Amino acid sequence: MHTLSSVTHFRVRFRECDPLQIVWHGNYLKYFEDAREEFCKEHGFSYYDVRVRGYATPIVKSLCEHKLPLRYSDKFEVEVSFIPTPAAKMIFNYKVTSQNKLVATGETVQVFLDKKGELVLSNPPFFYEWKQKMGIE
Amino acid sequence: MHTLSSVTHFRVRFRECDPLQIVWHGNYLKYFEDAREEFCKEHGFSYYDVRVRGYATPIVKSLCEHKLPLRYSDKFEVEVSFIPTPAAKMIFNYKVTSQNKLVATGETVQVFLDKKGELVLSNPPFFYEWKQKMGIE
Amino acid sequence: MHTLSSVTHFRVRFRECDPLQIVWHGNYLKYFEDAREEFCKEHGFSYYDVRVRGYATPIVKSLCEHKLPLRYSDKFEVEVSFIPTPAAKMIFNYKVTSQNKLVATGETVQVFLDKKGELVLSNPPFFYEWKQKMGIE
Amino acid sequence: MHTLSSVTHFRVRFRECDPLQIVWHGNYLKYFEDAREEFCKEHGFSYYDVRVRGYATPIVKSLCEHKLPLRYSDKFEVEVSFIPTPAAKMIFNYKVTSQNKLVATGETVQVFLDKKGELVLSNPPFFYEWKQKMGIE
């Protein structure tokens, strides 16, 4: 089975750096979200569909491990990969690189909640169909 | 007519500072919001009431003028004052001081929107009553 | 004298919206900063030069006035214009539009500080030269 | 060996919530940082000392797992515990609770860098002394 992934390019903003002159660690979760958004756009996964069908997909786990710092105006890229699972979850892995060096890795896990805010235990039909269409189910 | 005001105490957080080692200017709007929240709590103005009655109070203007920088772990205080106006608006002025020195001043203006998102041109009854009770109408 | 300006395109991110489903007002200062960065890049004004020469350019005033809200995934653009002044200041005006409608306007003012953190009262040579080169002095 | 911990009380701010009306997941790293700051203050661990001695303590890992959402104006508390390790690292665990319910758990790991930005492999003397004084070494 192939891996569905997407690469997004960034440049460190002034306000994202802290007094140590490096990107404040919490900002990586923003980069992950931007990369995830790009992934969804690129692979036809629509948050609009999610909402219209009455689902929400809150994040239940986020992890980031830092190898090297990023500084103001550094260019870097985030590769986000969809990690297949039979469970009703969306798992993404992240690889942050700059000038071919590994800067950070990460993971997020999202679940599906229905209109009542209850956890959905089996794959929502639209999600199952999207995975089939993408050849990852 | 007296002035309704409130003072909130803060300490600069690490992540609020930028590579120049000073508080990034955009963070003052967060301090203003925290100070406004404290004002509302102190003077019995309830955002819960606002929402329950179907109103929203978006900010239509925000201004901040900086005199001195703040640095990591500096203690400072924000004095927020309600500026009376017959219009259906909430105008607040802000004075940021640290060690008795003026750090910044600011202003925010909020309007009332009804359930349909339309601008409300006359004072909502609950707001008029609050102003009367506070002796500022 | 012509006006030096630059247009940057954006799309509203999920995390930039608040419980009212609109962009939280403080985020416009981030859009302004991103637009300013793009302006500098486009017109050859280098913050690297600024720092190398020992200057800092803190913001001493920021203003934003809101006409219409922006919502998650809305596309919009920020036009930033350099406002000439003989003083040792950088004044920028901002116009935020979405689908040809005016969303917000704004202004920022920056001053120059020297290595000692003292306010610079006359135009730093490199800034004067840049203005001359751009035909705005 | 006892556990060194600290509890900090919070209230969810308006701007910390997203269009799903819950705290945006990335904000928990801010709560963790605030709780860590409080821990350091309470237990006499000084970042000022860290800097004066020429060290930096960047975060190399951050993890957050969410069990329940938090909403605007919810009161909650973060219990942060120091996890002893012989390595030259600072490991903290976090437990977020609201009304006696578990909201989230988390972990951060920090390392020591010296003046040259090199990783410090053995405990810096001032850190070793602090651990001894606290009875956790």
Side-chain angles (χ1 to χ4, degrees):
Chain A
M1 195 165 62
H2 66 288
T3 300
L4 223 52
S5 66
S6 166
V7 175
T8 309
H9 296 264
F10 294 84
R11 189 165 198 146
V12 174
R13 295 179 180 93
F14 180 72
R15 66 178 176 274
E16 294 169 345
C17 299
D18 62 26
L20 291 177
Q21 317 286 338
I22 61 173
V23 170
W24 183 68
H25 70 284
N27 285 324
Y28 286 77
L29 296 187
K30 298 185 177 180
Y31 301 149
F32 290 177
E33 187 167 279
D34 289 350
R36 212 161 54 235
E37 190 102 358
E38 182 59 32
F39 173 95
C40 290
K41 196 177 152 195
E42 202 172 303
H43 296 292
F45 183 88
S46 157
Y47 272 108
Y48 181 78
D49 284 0
V50 171
R51 287 195 308 276
V52 158
R53 281 167 175 82
Y55 293 100
T57 53
I59 284 191
V60 293
K61 180 189 171 187
S62 56
L63 167 68
C64 188
E65 296 186 275
H66 305 266
K67 315 299 180 189
L68 286 174
L70 286 172
R71 292 189 167 77
Y72 173 45
S73 89
D74 280 355
K75 289 179 179 176
F76 65 99
E77 48 194 44
V78 179
E79 182 184 6
V80 50
S81 305
F82 184 89
I83 307 300
T85 167
K89 286 181 178 175
M90 297 177 74
I91 305 177
F92 289 103
N93 277 5
Y94 306 85
K95 210 172 102 183
V96 183
T97 50
S98 182
Q99 297 185 299
N100 297 314
K101 285 179 189 159
L102 184 62
V103 167
T105 58
E107 182 177 275
T108 57
V109 179
Q110 289 165 278
V111 293
F112 291 92
L113 301 184
D114 63 18
K115 277 172 193 167
K116 294 173 188 162
E118 301 287 331
L119 185 68
V120 173
L121 295 175
S122 56
N123 282 270
F126 82 95
F127 181 53
Y128 182 76
E129 282 159 26
W130 175 79
K131 289 200 284 186
Q132 275 200 317
K133 191 175 146 199
M134 291 294 119
I136 50 177
E137 183 67 340
Chain B
M1 195 165 61
H2 66 290
T3 300
L4 222 52
S5 66
S6 167
V7 175
T8 309
H9 296 264
F10 295 84
R11 189 165 199 148
V12 175
R13 296 180 180 91
F14 180 72
R15 65 178 177 275
E16 295 168 345
C17 298
D18 63 27
L20 290 178
Q21 317 286 339
I22 62 173
V23 170
W24 182 69
H25 70 283
N27 285 324
Y28 286 78
L29 296 187
K30 298 185 177 180
Y31 301 149
F32 290 176
E33 187 166 279
D34 289 350
R36 212 162 52 234
E37 190 101 359
E38 183 59 31
F39 174 95
C40 290
K41 196 177 152 194
E42 203 172 302
H43 295 292
F45 183 87
S46 158
Y47 272 106
Y48 181 79
D49 284 359
V50 171
R51 286 195 308 278
V52 158
R53 283 167 174 82
Y55 294 100
T57 53
I59 283 192
V60 293
K61 179 188 171 186
S62 55
L63 167 70
C64 187
E65 295 186 275
H66 305 266
K67 315 299 180 189
L68 286 175
L70 287 172
R71 294 190 166 76
Y72 173 45
S73 89
D74 280 356
K75 289 180 180 175
F76 64 99
E77 49 194 44
V78 180
E79 182 183 6
V80 50
S81 304
F82 184 88
I83 308 300
T85 167
K89 286 181 179 176
M90 296 177 76
I91 305 177
F92 289 104
N93 276 5
Y94 306 85
K95 211 173 102 183
V96 184
T97 51
S98 182
Q99 296 185 298
N100 296 316
K101 285 180 188 159
L102 184 62
V103 167
T105 58
E107 182 177 275
T108 57
V109 179
Q110 288 164 278
V111 293
F112 291 91
L113 300 184
D114 63 18
K115 277 172 192 166
K116 296 172 186 162
E118 303 286 334
L119 185 68
V120 173
L121 296 175
S122 57
N123 282 272
F126 81 95
F127 181 53
Y128 182 75
E129 282 159 26
W130 176 79
K131 288 200 284 187
Q132 276 200 315
K133 192 175 146 200
M134 292 294 121
I136 50 178
E137 184 68 342
Chain C
M1 195 167 60
H2 67 289
T3 301
L4 222 52
S5 66
S6 166
V7 175
T8 309
H9 296 264
F10 295 85
R11 189 166 198 144
V12 175
R13 295 181 180 91
F14 180 73
R15 65 178 175 276
E16 294 168 346
C17 299
D18 63 25
L20 291 178
Q21 318 285 339
I22 62 173
V23 170
W24 182 68
H25 70 283
N27 285 323
Y28 286 78
L29 295 188
K30 298 185 176 180
Y31 301 149
F32 291 176
E33 186 166 279
D34 289 350
R36 211 161 52 234
E37 189 102 359
E38 182 60 31
F39 173 96
C40 290
K41 197 177 152 193
E42 202 172 304
H43 296 291
F45 183 87
S46 157
Y47 273 107
Y48 180 79
D49 284 359
V50 172
R51 285 194 308 276
V52 158
R53 282 166 176 81
Y55 294 101
T57 53
I59 284 192
V60 293
K61 180 189 170 186
S62 56
L63 168 69
C64 188
E65 295 187 275
H66 304 267
K67 315 300 180 188
L68 286 175
L70 286 172
R71 293 191 166 75
Y72 173 44
S73 89
D74 281 355
K75 288 179 181 176
F76 64 98
E77 49 195 43
V78 179
E79 183 184 7
V80 51
S81 304
F82 183 90
I83 307 300
T85 166
K89 286 181 179 177
M90 298 178 73
I91 306 177
F92 290 104
N93 277 4
Y94 306 85
K95 211 173 101 183
V96 184
T97 51
S98 182
Q99 296 185 299
N100 298 314
K101 285 178 188 159
L102 184 62
V103 167
T105 59
E107 182 176 277
T108 57
V109 178
Q110 288 164 278
V111 293
F112 291 91
L113 300 185
D114 62 19
K115 277 171 193 167
K116 294 173 189 162
E118 301 288 332
L119 185 67
V120 173
L121 296 175
S122 57
N123 282 271
F126 81 96
F127 181 52
Y128 182 75
E129 282 160 26
W130 175 79
K131 288 199 284 186
Q132 275 200 317
K133 191 176 147 199
M134 291 295 120
I136 49 177
E137 184 66 343
Chain D
M1 195 166 63
H2 66 288
T3 300
L4 221 53
S5 65
S6 167
V7 175
T8 309
H9 295 264
F10 294 85
R11 190 165 198 147
V12 175
R13 295 179 180 93
F14 180 72
R15 65 180 176 274
E16 294 169 345
C17 298
D18 63 26
L20 291 178
Q21 318 286 338
I22 62 174
V23 170
W24 182 68
H25 70 283
N27 285 324
Y28 286 77
L29 296 187
K30 297 185 178 180
Y31 301 149
F32 290 176
E33 188 166 279
D34 289 350
R36 211 162 54 235
E37 190 101 0
E38 182 59 31
F39 173 95
C40 290
K41 195 176 152 195
E42 202 171 304
H43 296 291
F45 183 87
S46 156
Y47 273 107
Y48 180 79
D49 284 359
V50 171
R51 285 195 309 276
V52 158
R53 283 167 175 80
Y55 294 100
T57 53
I59 284 192
V60 293
K61 179 188 171 186
S62 55
L63 167 70
C64 188
E65 296 186 274
H66 305 266
K67 315 300 180 189
L68 287 174
L70 287 172
R71 293 190 167 77
Y72 173 46
S73 89
D74 280 356
K75 288 180 181 176
F76 64 100
E77 49 195 42
V78 179
E79 182 184 7
V80 51
S81 304
F82 184 89
I83 307 300
T85 167
K89 286 181 178 175
M90 296 178 75
I91 306 177
F92 289 103
N93 277 5
Y94 306 86
K95 211 173 102 183
V96 183
T97 50
S98 182
Q99 295 185 300
N100 296 316
K101 286 179 188 159
L102 184 63
V103 166
T105 59
E107 182 176 275
T108 57
V109 178
Q110 288 164 276
V111 293
F112 291 91
L113 300 184
D114 62 19
K115 276 172 194 168
K116 295 172 187 164
E118 302 286 332
L119 185 68
V120 174
L121 296 175
S122 56
N123 283 272
F126 82 96
F127 182 53
Y128 182 76
E129 282 159 27
W130 176 79
K131 288 200 284 186
Q132 275 200 316
K133 192 174 144 198
M134 292 293 121
I136 50 177
E137 183 67 341

